[in-house]
């Protein structure tokens, strides 16, 4: 006896899914009816204002292996956005790939005239960002763009002005270097002692700012000192005092063979920056 077919029902379901995919507002409304508003908020499913725009700033240096896939993943995130890529004078063929990506409507690329470091690339990217919120994204696959909705949620819901994505408060992560973990925790603890914050992951890549926050801060660090510098200057602000949130994120770290760049020199520089930017501008 042949099994019944459901071609008509499948086509109707496919049509419904296609319509919902084309309309994030309808998709959010349906999920809220099915799961409830509270459950959806916990999952990062919530309505995004029609006039909201996210600027994703990506500093790039010698990331030929990853940059194309990263941009694909960022573009796939269903949030109104612009992608600002700042190439820090790559020499491995990354620039050839970026020139191909210049044709994408939502991508803007800035080419640094010489290598200056992550902090300098971010300063340049922030100058070009026009979104309501600005998110920092490293040019590798250690951090997942699928986290964006959860990261910007406290800002959209007016609970925060700055959001840090923490690798150490509950989400999955790739098991890698013990001493990197120790250094991260030590630097975060020392930063907290100076700033009187209770962050768990000061060195995280994922940081999101209302555009007004960045407009109020003058950044100086050229390399990885950006992380303690921005943390100190956000914490020091008193008029206004910026509200800071942490959101758990997943993390898939890479090895040095896979292109990891941060090292002992940067840890020592971060230690110096923690003290410098709390005591002095």
């Amino acid at each position: 006896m042949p099994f019944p077919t459901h071609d008509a029902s499948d086509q109707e379901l496919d049509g419904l899914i296609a319509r919902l995919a084309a309309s994030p507002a309808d998709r959010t409304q349906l999920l809220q009816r099915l799961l409830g508003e509270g459950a959806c908020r916990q999952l990062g499913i919530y309505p995004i204002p029609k006039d909201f725009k996210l600027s994703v700033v990506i500093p790039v240096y010698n990331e030929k292996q990853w940059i194309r896939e990263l941009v694909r993943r960022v573009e796939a995130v269903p949030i109104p956005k612009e992608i600002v890529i700042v190439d820090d004078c790559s020499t491995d063929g990354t620039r050839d790939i970026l020139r191909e990506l210049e044709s994408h409507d939502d991508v803007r690329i800035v080419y640094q005239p010489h290598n200056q470091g992550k902090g300098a690339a971010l300063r340049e990217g922030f100058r070009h960002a026009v979104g309501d919120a600005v998110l920092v994204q490293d040019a590798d696959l250690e951090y997942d763009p699928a986290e964006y909705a959860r990261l910007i949620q406290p800002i959209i819901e007016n609970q925060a002005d700055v959001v840090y994505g923490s690798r150490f408060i509950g989400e999955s992560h790739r098991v890698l270097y013990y001493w990197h973990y120790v250094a991260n925790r030590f630097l975060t603890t020392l930063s907290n002692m100076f700033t009187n914050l209770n962050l768990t992951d000061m060195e995280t890549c994922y940081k999101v700012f209302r555009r007004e926050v960045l407009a109020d801060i003058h950044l100086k660090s050229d390399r990885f000192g950006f992380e303690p510098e921005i943390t100190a200057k956000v914490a020091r602000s008193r008029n206004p005092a910026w509200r800071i949130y942490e959101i758990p994120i997943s993390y898939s770290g890479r090895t040095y063979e896979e292109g990891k760049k941060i090292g002992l020199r940067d840890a020592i520089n971060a230690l110096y920056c923690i003290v410098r930017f709390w005591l002095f501008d």
Side-chain angles (χ1 to χ4, degrees), residues 118-212:
K118 177 180 179 179
L122 285 173
R123 285 200 306 273
E124 187 65 24
F126 294 159
R127 279 194 285 268
H128 288 80
V130 299
D132 302 283
V134 181
L135 181 148
V136 177
Q137 169 74 61
D138 281 352
D140 51 50
L141 301 181
E142 291 187 330
Y143 295 84
D144 187 357
E147 311 271 11
Y148 287 2
R150 295 173 62 200
L151 285 163
I152 66 174
Q153 186 173 0
I155 290 178
I156 287 180
E157 295 181 346
N158 198 27
Q159 295 177 323
D161 305 296
V162 179
V163 178
Y164 281 47
S166 175
R167 298 164 287 181
F168 304 130
I169 52 175
E171 293 294 316
S172 62
H173 67 274
R174 179 181 178 183
V175 176
L176 274 175
Y177 304 118
Y178 171 72
W179 289 110
H180 276 218
Y181 167 81
V182 170
N184 279 333
R185 299 311 291 262
F186 170 74
L187 292 171
T188 296
T189 299
L190 186 64
S191 174
N192 287 345
M193 291 171 63
F194 280 90
T195 61
N196 197 29
L197 300 176
N198 63 340
L199 292 170
T200 64
D201 191 5
M202 179 270 295
E203 290 282 348
T204 181
C205 155
Y206 272 166
K207 295 178 174 71
V208 191
F209 310 91
R210 291 189 191 275
R211 190 149 54 96
E212 300 90 328

Side-chain angles (χ1 to χ4, degrees), residues 26-277:
D26 290 345
R27 182 170 64 248
T28 299
Q29 186 176 19
L30 175 62
L31 289 172
Q32 286 180 336
R33 291 184 63 184
L34 292 172
L35 302 177
E37 182 179 347
C40 284
R41 289 188 67 255
Q42 290 293 321
L43 294 170
I45 302 170
Y46 56 92
I48 295 177
K50 291 183 179 180
D51 58 349
F52 176 84
K53 187 173 188 178
L54 175 67
S55 293
V56 180
V57 178
I58 309 176
V60 178
Y61 178 65
N62 287 352
E63 296 290 357
K64 178 181 178 180
Q65 183 177 359
W66 312 109
I67 187 62
R68 198 190 306 274
E69 174 61 15
L70 172 68
V71 171
R72 186 195 68 78
R73 293 188 188 185
V74 175
E75 288 182 321
V77 176
I79 294 172
K81 61 187 173 298
E82 63 168 357
I83 304 171
V84 181
I85 301 174
V86 182
D87 180 73
D88 198 22
C89 204
S90 296
T91 58
D92 69 338
T94 296
R95 286 199 165 193
D96 296 331
I97 297 173
L98 293 178
R99 291 188 182 98
E100 297 174 17
L101 298 174
E102 287 177 347
S103 61
H104 294 210
D105 292 338
D106 56 354
V107 175
R108 276 190 292 160
I109 301 174
V110 181
Y111 298 97
Q112 297 280 69
H114 57 274
N115 181 261
Q116 299 174 64
K118 177 180 179 179
L122 285 173
R123 285 200 306 273
E124 187 65 24
F126 294 159
R127 279 194 285 268
H128 288 80
V130 299
D132 302 283
V134 181
L135 181 148
V136 177
Q137 169 74 61
D138 281 352
D140 51 50
L141 301 181
E142 291 187 330
Y143 295 84
D144 187 357
E147 311 271 11
Y148 287 2
R150 295 173 62 200
L151 285 163
I152 66 174
Q153 186 173 0
I155 290 178
I156 287 180
E157 295 181 346
N158 198 27
Q159 295 177 323
D161 305 296
V162 179
V163 178
Y164 281 47
S166 175
R167 298 164 287 181
F168 304 130
I169 52 175
E171 293 294 316
S172 62
H173 67 274
R174 179 181 178 183
V175 176
L176 274 175
Y177 304 118
Y178 171 72
W179 289 110
H180 276 218
Y181 167 81
V182 170
N184 279 333
R185 299 311 291 262
F186 170 74
L187 292 171
T188 296
T189 299
L190 186 64
S191 174
N192 287 345
M193 291 171 63
F194 280 90
T195 61
N196 197 29
L197 300 176
N198 63 340
L199 292 170
T200 64
D201 191 5
M202 179 270 295
E203 290 282 348
T204 181
C205 155
Y206 272 166
K207 295 178 174 71
V208 191
F209 310 91
R210 291 189 191 275
R211 190 149 54 96
E212 300 90 328
V213 175
L214 294 175
D216 192 50
I217 292 175
H218 178 60
L219 296 167
K220 296 180 178 180
S221 295
D222 285 342
R223 287 179 57 82
F224 293 101
F226 164 80
E227 316 295 355
E229 179 185 6
I230 192 70
T231 302
K233 291 183 175 180
V234 166
R236 284 171 57 181
S237 178
R238 291 292 179 268
N239 188 25
W242 302 116
R243 299 165 297 171
I244 306 171
Y245 257 59
E246 271 193 319
I247 297 291
I249 59 169
S250 59
Y251 177 67
S252 179
R254 57 181 177 171
T255 65
Y256 285 104
E257 292 75 19
E258 294 169 329
K260 194 173 188 68
K261 296 179 178 68
I262 195 167
L264 179 60
R265 171 190 171 189
D266 299 299
I268 295 171
N269 184 58
L271 181 62
Y272 164 74
C273 289
I274 288 171
V275 179
R276 173 192 172 189
F277 289 115

